[in-house]
Amino acid sequence: MPMFKHAAEILEARVNTFLNRADDPAQTLDLSYEKMITTLQDTKRHLADVITERISLENQMAAAKRDSDKAEADARMALQAQREDLARAALTEKQTAQQKIAALQQAHDSIATQAEKLTAYETKLQDHIEQFRTQKEVMKTQMAAAAAEVGVSESLSGLGTGLADAGDVMRRAQDKTAQMQSKAEAMEGMTEAGILSDPLDARDSTEKELDKLRSTTGVDADLARLKAEITAPK
């Protein structure tokens, strides 16, 4: 294995180990969004409880107001009947109802203030969550694109295992081809020099040399004949 590739694989392994130990940014964003949604749901539940309590107080105030009105009507009727004692008792009930209304009104005002604050907070939180969701999706898309770009860059630079391996395969094939070509040339030269022989050719080296000489002589004779025929007068 080439030294550079070995060093690149060690570096890649260390980088992958570090990234595996680190938090996934996309997952962290999703978790943050889920927490914000949970907070919004809790806010809605609290607001619903406050509104329920406010309505309950309003109903109690309305009932106390009816009791107060009834007590005053009873006191008026008792006075008309010249029953001051009954009128006094009715007015006492009226005072009790009025005190109850005052206490309920104070609690209602406090609850109403809380409801207004929670309503405003809920609206603000919803807007913030929507903005965060949009930014989250954009950021996740950017991170995915960046990760893809890093992967391509690693491959092109040899830090990855894609094109780097393909390049090694190509270089090995080229080296192998060159070795085979060199071996073929060497064997051809050795055959021509008589170092290597054809196992199907039973001639010894002397016979081979004589056959080669005969072939050369025959070629020279044919060449001379053709020249003579061409230059002879017709």
Side-chain angles (χ1 to χ4, degrees), residues 43 47 50 110-125:
T43 301
L47 180 58
V50 169
S110 177
I111 289 293
T113 301
Q114 291 182 357
E116 291 177 0
K117 290 181 179 180
L118 284 174
T119 301
Y121 178 75
E122 178 193 16
T123 301
K124 184 177 180 180
L125 183 58

Side-chain angles (χ1 to χ4, degrees), residues 65-85:
K65 180 66 168 57
R66 289 193 295 270
D67 291 341
S68 175
D69 292 341
K70 181 178 181 300
E72 183 170 347
D74 290 343
R76 189 183 302 277
M77 182 180 63
L79 285 176
Q80 291 176 351
Q82 296 181 355
R83 292 291 306 272
E84 185 174 341
D85 56 335

Side-chain angles (χ1 to χ4, degrees), residues 83-200:
R83 292 291 306 272
E84 185 174 341
D85 56 335
L86 293 177
R88 184 178 295 275
L91 291 176
T92 299
E93 292 179 0
K94 176 184 177 182
Q95 288 297 317
T96 300
Q98 290 292 325
Q99 291 174 0
K100 183 178 181 180
I101 291 173
L104 291 172
Q105 184 64 53
Q106 185 176 2
H108 178 273
D109 292 344
S110 177
I111 289 293
T113 301
Q114 291 182 357
E116 291 177 0
K117 290 181 179 180
L118 284 174
T119 301
Y121 178 75
E122 178 193 16
T123 301
K124 184 177 180 180
L125 183 58
Q126 284 180 330
D127 293 340
H128 182 70
I129 290 175
E130 182 60 26
Q131 293 176 2
F132 181 83
R133 185 191 68 80
T134 302
Q135 294 175 356
K136 174 178 71 73
E137 295 303 323
V138 171
M139 188 169 296
K140 287 175 64 176
T141 302
Q142 291 175 344
M143 285 190 297
E149 185 176 354
V150 169
V152 173
S153 299
E154 287 180 347
S155 297
L156 294 176
S157 63
L159 293 177
T161 59
L163 296 182
D165 290 344
D168 289 340
V169 171
M170 180 64 70
R171 284 190 292 272
R172 288 196 297 270
Q174 291 174 344
D175 293 342
K176 187 66 174 180
T177 301
Q179 292 176 358
M180 294 176 65
Q181 290 175 343
S182 298
K183 184 176 181 180
E185 292 175 359
M187 293 183 67
E188 182 179 358
M190 294 172 67
T191 301
E192 292 179 355
I195 299 175
L196 297 178
S197 60
D198 186 354
L200 299 179

Side-chain angles (χ1 to χ4, degrees), residues 14-93:
R14 290 179 178 176
V15 171
N16 289 335
T17 300
F18 173 77
L19 292 178
N20 289 335
R21 291 177 179 176
D23 291 336
D24 182 4
Q27 184 178 5
T28 302
L29 288 172
D30 288 336
L31 289 175
S32 298
Y33 180 72
E34 291 176 3
K35 289 181 180 178
M36 295 174 69
I37 292 296
T38 300
T39 301
L40 178 61
Q41 292 173 344
D42 290 340
T43 301
K44 289 180 177 292
R45 283 194 292 269
H46 292 323
L47 180 58
D49 292 340
V50 169
I51 292 177
T52 300
E53 183 64 21
R54 187 194 66 188
I55 293 174
S56 176
L57 290 172
E58 291 173 351
N59 291 336
Q60 294 180 57
M61 289 169 60
K65 180 66 168 57
R66 289 193 295 270
D67 291 341
S68 175
D69 292 341
K70 181 178 181 300
E72 183 170 347
D74 290 343
R76 189 183 302 277
M77 182 180 63
L79 285 176
Q80 291 176 351
Q82 296 181 355
R83 292 291 306 272
E84 185 174 341
D85 56 335
L86 293 177
R88 184 178 295 275
L91 291 176
T92 299
E93 292 179 0

